Amino acid sequence: MDIVNQLLSTYASFFDWAMWKEVLTDPVSWGYIGTLVVLEGLLSADNALVLAVMVKHLPKDQQKKALTYGLFGAYFFRFLFIGLGMWLIKFWWIKVLGAAYLAWLVIKQFWLKSPEDDLNGVKKDGLLIRTFGVFWGTVISVELMDLAFSVDSILAAFAVSDKVWILLIGGMLGILMMRTVAKLFLVLIEKIPELESTAFILIGIIAIKMFLSVLGIEIGHVLFFSIIVLAFVITFIVHYYHNKQNGHDHVA
């Protein structure tokens, strides 16, 4: 019963306007929200492409409808899991598992990356299609894929901040960004491919931040934001150097 009360208290705080005002007028909070939005935008650009491919077999008018239903579902589940996560993240072993999972994402990206078939559409003879029909089977498939994408984002968010309002705003803006300006991030990553690596380096830093919090070591706001800014500065320097080298190679 105590667990239920804690969960209800967390969800109730979503509607505490005084707390919303406190967060919205705090520059540090906006710094964390901005970090979450940019990180989610970089990590979600390819995800948006995957979702677009998943609905491509539907008629044009149904494609937009399926993605819209998926968007509402994504908001609902993000709201649900942030509330649940606020309770779970209080356990030290959950933080350790979360940090380990984020570290695994980094290892997989840099050392175990292999060709994936993410860009395959929904199988027309799949169980969901046969059970619920083409349209609703596709909508459910999109929802499940959104859930899979949310795991990485939510864990990273909890490592960045433990304030429910920051997590909610960052998460909701991140979802909106994935569905609306994902193409912008795809173009950005295409022009500056090093940004994809930067996103996973930041995931690694966030994993370290989460693990250190288990040991009672907290990374201060100034240090954390300095690391974020430094990572992007180094990214642009490396990109400039690569372009310069490629220019020389081309001339040669």
Side-chain angles (χ1 to χ4, degrees), residues 16-247:
D16 187 330
W17 303 117
M19 292 181 181
W20 277 104
K21 183 179 178 181
E22 179 186 337
V23 170
L24 294 174
T25 55
D26 181 13
V28 173
S29 296
W30 278 108
Y32 282 122
I33 290 168
T35 300
L36 292 177
V37 170
V38 171
L39 189 60
E40 180 133 15
L42 290 173
L43 293 175
S44 298
D46 289 338
N47 297 349
L49 178 61
V50 172
L51 294 179
V53 172
M54 287 181 70
V55 301
K56 68 179 182 179
H57 62 280
L58 295 172
K60 288 289 183 182
D61 60 322
Q62 290 189 355
Q63 288 180 12
K64 187 175 181 181
K65 192 179 292 185
L67 288 174
T68 301
Y69 288 156
L71 179 63
F72 287 130
Y75 277 123
F76 172 77
F77 286 116
R78 185 64 64 95
F79 178 87
L80 183 68
F81 290 146
I82 286 176
L84 186 61
M86 287 298 297
W87 174 70
L88 289 174
I89 207 68
K90 294 175 183 177
F91 299 100
W92 67 268
W93 54 273
I94 290 289
K95 288 187 177 181
V96 171
L97 288 176
Y101 176 74
L102 293 175
W104 163 249
L105 291 179
V106 177
I107 292 170
K108 187 171 69 169
Q109 171 68 16
F110 290 117
W111 292 284
L112 301 175
K113 196 173 183 180
S114 59
E116 298 177 346
D117 57 356
D118 281 343
L119 294 182
N120 291 331
V122 175
K123 293 181 179 179
K124 293 183 180 179
D125 59 344
L127 179 61
L128 290 175
I129 297 296
R130 286 188 280 113
T131 305
F132 299 100
V134 176
F135 178 73
W136 287 111
T138 301
V139 170
I140 294 171
S141 297
V142 169
E143 294 287 2
L144 292 175
M145 188 61 70
D146 267 325
L147 282 177
F149 292 154
S150 293
V151 172
D152 304 349
S153 301
I154 291 173
L155 276 175
F158 277 114
V160 170
S161 175
D162 60 356
K163 289 189 176 181
V164 65
W165 321 281
I166 291 176
L167 297 173
L168 188 63
I169 296 173
M172 296 308 180
L173 289 177
I175 292 172
L176 186 63
M177 179 168 288
M178 184 178 79
R179 296 300 183 84
T180 55
V181 296
K183 287 183 180 178
L184 175 64
F185 276 90
L186 281 172
V187 172
L188 192 60
I189 290 172
E190 187 178 335
K191 289 186 175 180
I192 310 175
E194 293 85 359
L195 280 172
E196 186 174 2
S197 296
T198 301
F200 281 92
I201 289 171
L202 293 179
I203 288 289
I205 293 169
I206 288 169
I208 293 170
K209 184 178 186 295
M210 180 177 272
F211 183 74
L212 288 177
S213 70
V214 176
L215 303 177
I217 302 172
E218 296 294 335
I219 297 179
H221 304 319
V222 174
L223 178 58
F224 179 72
F225 292 133
S226 298
I227 292 172
I228 297 293
V229 172
L230 182 62
F232 282 105
V233 169
I234 292 174
T235 299
F236 290 115
I237 292 174
V238 170
H239 175 69
Y240 173 78
Y241 177 76
H242 283 167
N243 273 356
K244 196 173 181 181
Q245 287 295 106
N246 291 337

